[in-house]
Amino acid sequence: MKIKELSIIFPIFNEEDRLTGNLKNIKKLFKSFKKLNIEIILVNDGSTDKTHDIINEFLKSLKKNNSKKIKYIYYSTNKGKGFALKEGIKNAKKKWN
């Protein structure tokens, strides 16, 4: 079975120390999967560090067509990883993993 579309959900909580490198890898992912209809869903689960700011700067830096491939969900209160994953699934338009 070939995958033609895919939603990848990242629950995020207080990841400022690792986030920049991971976001760079997401940019590389877009380059290597040009033929794949992919969406990335970042779910910020009430981070209290600079995670929200880092993600917003990343989103501003994206080229227009790649910015359409990323959804950013943010809520101010930590509700847990399970809740974050459910929110990502509810917002997914493609098959999700």
Side-chain angles (χ1 to χ4, degrees), residues 6-10 26-42 58-59 62-72 91-94:
L6 181 67
S7 293
I8 303 172
I9 301 164
F10 291 97
I26 287 174
K27 276 187 177 180
K28 290 178 188 175
L29 180 73
F30 289 140
K31 290 178 185 176
S32 60
F33 289 123
K34 286 183 180 182
K35 294 180 182 178
L36 184 62
N37 187 1
I38 189 171
E39 73 176 342
I40 305 289
I41 302 173
L42 305 172
F58 169 74
L59 294 174
L62 291 175
K63 293 180 181 176
K64 188 174 181 178
N65 63 335
N66 284 341
S67 67
K68 293 177 184 178
K69 296 178 182 182
I70 294 186
K71 292 181 185 174
Y72 178 46
N91 285 275
K93 300 292 184 217
K94 319 272 189 249

Side-chain angles (χ1 to χ4, degrees), residues 15-59:
E15 295 288 338
E16 72 177 316
D17 292 337
R18 297 186 291 183
L19 195 54
T20 302
N22 289 332
L23 295 174
K24 286 180 185 176
N25 288 333
I26 287 174
K27 276 187 177 180
K28 290 178 188 175
L29 180 73
F30 289 140
K31 290 178 185 176
S32 60
F33 289 123
K34 286 183 180 182
K35 294 180 182 178
L36 184 62
N37 187 1
I38 189 171
E39 73 176 342
I40 305 289
I41 302 173
L42 305 172
V43 185
N44 186 345
D45 186 24
S47 295
T48 56
D49 62 1
K50 295 184 193 292
T51 295
H52 181 66
D53 297 331
I54 293 168
I55 292 172
N56 280 328
E57 286 301 313
F58 169 74
L59 294 174

